[in-house]
Structure formats: C-alpha cells, structure tokens
Amino acid sequence: MKNLYKLKYIFITILTVSLLSSCQTESSFEDELPSIANIAVSNANFSTLEAAAVAGGVAGVLSNSNPNDASGAYTVFAPTNDAFARLGLNENTLGVLQKSFLTNTLLYHVSNGNLAGNTINAGGTSTSALSLDRRFIERGEDTYINGSKILATDVTASNGTVHVIDKVMIASGADIVQTAIALQSANVFTSPELTYLVEAVLYAELAEALTASEGSPSFTVFAPTDQAFIDLGAALGLTFTTPADIRQLPKETVQQVLLNHVIANDGKFTSELNAGTVTALGGDDLTLGAFTNGTLTVTGEGNGGEVANMGIPDVQTTNGIVHVIDRVLLPNL
C-alpha cells in the first residue's frame, strides 16, 4: 500500500510539472510575439516607418496594448520604405514634414481592434484613429485601401495586426481649399507648397465653389505644384517669381485653366481611375494615361501631348481627392 501511495505521488508530481512546463512554454511563445512597433524595428523594409513613428511620437503607443479597444489590439496598414520613397522620404529626410502632420498621417494608418485580412472586402470601409474613414477598393486581382495597394495581410503582433501597403496614405481632415492653404502655409511641409495654386484660386474667385458645405459635390482635383506654375509662366514668356505674378494673366483665363483641373465625379482615388478621357468642369477633356504603379498621367487638350505626372497622389479631403501634379493642365484657350 505504501508503494501504491508513493507511485501515486510520483505520478501527480510528473503531471503537475508537465502542466506547468506546458503553461510556461505557451506563455513564453506569447511573450515572444513582437509588438507592432517592434515589427517595424526588426524588419529592414520598415526602417522609415520606424523612424517616422519615433519622430511622430507614436512608437510608444504602438508598443503597448490599445486602451481604447476591449481586445487591446490595433490594426496598422504599414507603408514600406519604398512607399515613403515615393514621396521623397526616408529616415533621414522626415524633417521636411511638420511633426503634427507626420503624427496625424501615422494615425491615419491605425485603427482599433483586429481587422483580419479575410474581412477586407471591396466597398467596405475602416475608420482610422483620426475618426476618418478609409475605403477598400478592388482593381483586378488586387485590393486597395484608398489608393494604396495591400501587399500582404495578417502579420501578427502581440498588440494587433499589421497589413503591408505600397503607398503612404494622406488625409487632411479639411476641404480642398483648406488643404491647399495648409500646404501653402507650411503646415504640412516645412517649406510652403501650392502657393501659386492658392493665389490663382483666390484671384479667380473659385474658393467658395471648392469649399465644402452641406450638399456640395465631391471632386477629383489635379493640383499643380509651384514649379508647374513657374514653368507655365516661362512657356508664356512671363516671369513668375512670386504667387502674385499669376495676376499678370486675365482673370477669365485663370478661371478657365483652374476649372480644367477639376472633375465632378465624387472624388476618385488613383485605384478608381482608368485610362481614357474625362470632362473637366471647364468643359474640355482631360486624357488619363494607363494606371501604372499606382498612378496615372494626365494631359490637357492644350498641353500639346506633354503629360503631367502625379507627385503626391490620393490626398483625401472632406470634399474630394487631390492629386498633386507637376504640370499645369491647359484647356483649348
């Protein structure tokens, strides 16, 4: 009988040690899962995202569980280094962005809870940490969030899920006019941009038409850079050295040119645009090139076949989508 008790004791001891060992192994496995922030740190393809998270003050947030969701999880759509490079950005050049804009841009890539890849469907939406919705679009066999192609899904982290995308998503949280003014006022880049466009819109008295209001339409806008306007001046035999120089042109001409950059089509991301012709608000046709690597070229009837390229595509505003281009689109003047 004594031996029986002894064997029973040994058996219980072995069972207990086995169970404890199993629990410890499972716990260790869970502990080994990196956080979302650590995934960026440990993967060379996300070195710019890592630097951006530090500079934008969100690295600590993405290292911990989400206090705003019962699951404690975040879902992050993570741009690769190549995605940042499309905007001329890397870990050494992030300083050209204002910190507040960088922070908001990063938060636009984040949402609460675990959004599994198999629940991402065309026509659906996902609300970002900025409370702005992003939409899912199918193009051929690819799925996009706004204008960014989803390259990989369901990278598991200890505090959520990561999906990989090929372009940085940008949302201004303001209407088209206020978005342009933010760029003009150096609230996005540390150097002003779109200063000639803002001046032209004010001179042509089109600001009210492009300002969001209840019941107002949504637009797709092609927004020429400052250099695009400077180049236009040179082509016309004029010297544009300050935005006010745009007023050398007749107001009616400036109005006609600006209306040639606006399409009333509910605001389209690049992933929703196709090669062919579209009619601008001014009545002239614009020719869109083939959808290639996430962008399209644009040509005006008065451009003599010279195309405009998208430098910063897919900027979401409250009343449309803005694509920043490198050439002024001329109508048949």
Side-chain angles (χ1 to χ4, degrees):
M1 182 66 70
K2 190 180 290 187
N3 288 335
L4 183 60
Y5 281 121
K6 187 175 181 179
L7 287 171
K8 185 178 179 181
Y9 173 77
I10 292 171
F11 175 76
I12 292 172
T13 301
I14 292 172
L15 181 62
T16 302
V17 170
S18 177
L19 287 172
L20 286 173
S21 175
S22 174
C23 289
Q24 288 172 351
T25 301
E26 184 177 345
S27 175
S28 297
F29 175 75
E30 290 176 355
D31 290 343
E32 286 174 5
L33 272 179
S35 68
I36 292 170
N38 283 337
I39 286 174
V41 170
S42 61
N43 190 321
N45 289 323
F46 296 122
S47 60
T48 306
L49 177 60
E50 174 196 353
V54 172
V58 303
V61 172
L62 298 179
S63 297
N64 299 296
S65 62
N66 183 357
N68 299 314
D69 191 86
S71 70
Y74 297 101
T75 296
V76 174
F77 290 87
T80 62
N81 289 349
D82 288 343
F84 280 98
R86 294 171 73 126
L87 298 176
L89 300 172
N90 58 45
E91 53 262 44
N92 299 314
T93 59
L94 291 167
V96 301
L97 299 176
Q98 295 288 8
K99 181 179 178 180
S100 59
F101 174 76
L102 176 59
T103 300
N104 286 338
T105 297
L106 292 171
L107 292 176
Y108 187 57
H109 291 74
V110 179
S111 55
N112 293 324
N114 272 312
L115 180 65
N118 61 9
T119 65
I120 295 174
N121 298 307
T125 61
S126 170
T127 303
S128 73
L130 293 181
S131 299
L132 298 172
D133 284 348
R134 305 153 306 183
R135 63 180 184 255
F136 298 117
I137 299 153
E138 278 189 9
R139 188 183 182 101
E141 297 182 354
D142 297 317
T143 302
Y144 291 77
I145 178 168
N146 293 353
S148 301
K149 183 162 70 172
I150 301 175
L151 301 174
T153 59
D154 300 318
V155 180
T156 304
S158 61
N159 60 336
T161 302
V162 175
H163 306 301
V164 184
I165 58 175
D166 75 337
K167 283 193 288 187
V168 176
M169 294 187 292
I170 301 174
S172 67
D175 64 28
I176 291 167
V177 172
Q178 292 305 313
T179 298
I181 289 174
L183 282 156
Q184 176 233 24
S185 305
N187 290 327
V188 175
F189 296 100
T190 54
S191 298
E193 184 51 89
L194 301 190
T195 60
Y196 283 83
L197 178 61
V198 170
E199 181 71 21
V201 167
L202 295 176
Y203 175 47
E205 299 180 350
L206 292 175
E208 184 176 353
L210 296 174
T211 298
S213 60
E214 187 175 351
S216 64
S218 177
F219 302 107
T220 298
V221 174
F222 301 105
T225 61
D226 287 342
Q227 189 60 52
F229 277 101
I230 292 169
D231 292 343
L232 173 64
L236 296 175
L238 302 172
T239 300
F240 289 171
T241 56
T242 68
D245 290 332
I246 200 76
R247 295 175 183 261
Q248 296 176 56
L249 298 171
K251 181 182 291 188
E252 294 76 13
T253 300
V254 176
Q255 286 175 339
Q256 192 174 352
V257 169
L258 290 180
L259 290 175
N260 203 48
H261 292 76
V262 183
I263 306 170
N265 63 352
D266 296 328
K268 301 292 186 184
F269 291 106
T270 49
S271 55
E272 300 170 297
L273 295 172
N274 297 299
T277 58
V278 291
T279 303
L281 280 184
D284 285 71
D285 283 343
L286 298 175
T287 301
L288 301 180
F291 180 74
T292 305
N293 195 27
T295 63
L296 302 90
T297 59
V298 194
T299 311
E301 289 186 15
N303 284 123
E306 295 183 331
V307 303
N309 299 290
M310 293 180 180
I312 306 177
D314 301 310
V315 179
Q316 183 180 10
T317 75
T318 57
N319 64 332
I321 310 300
V322 174
H323 308 286
V324 179
I325 57 175
D326 64 0
R327 185 181 298 276
V328 176
L329 303 175
L330 296 176
N332 274 323
L333 295 173

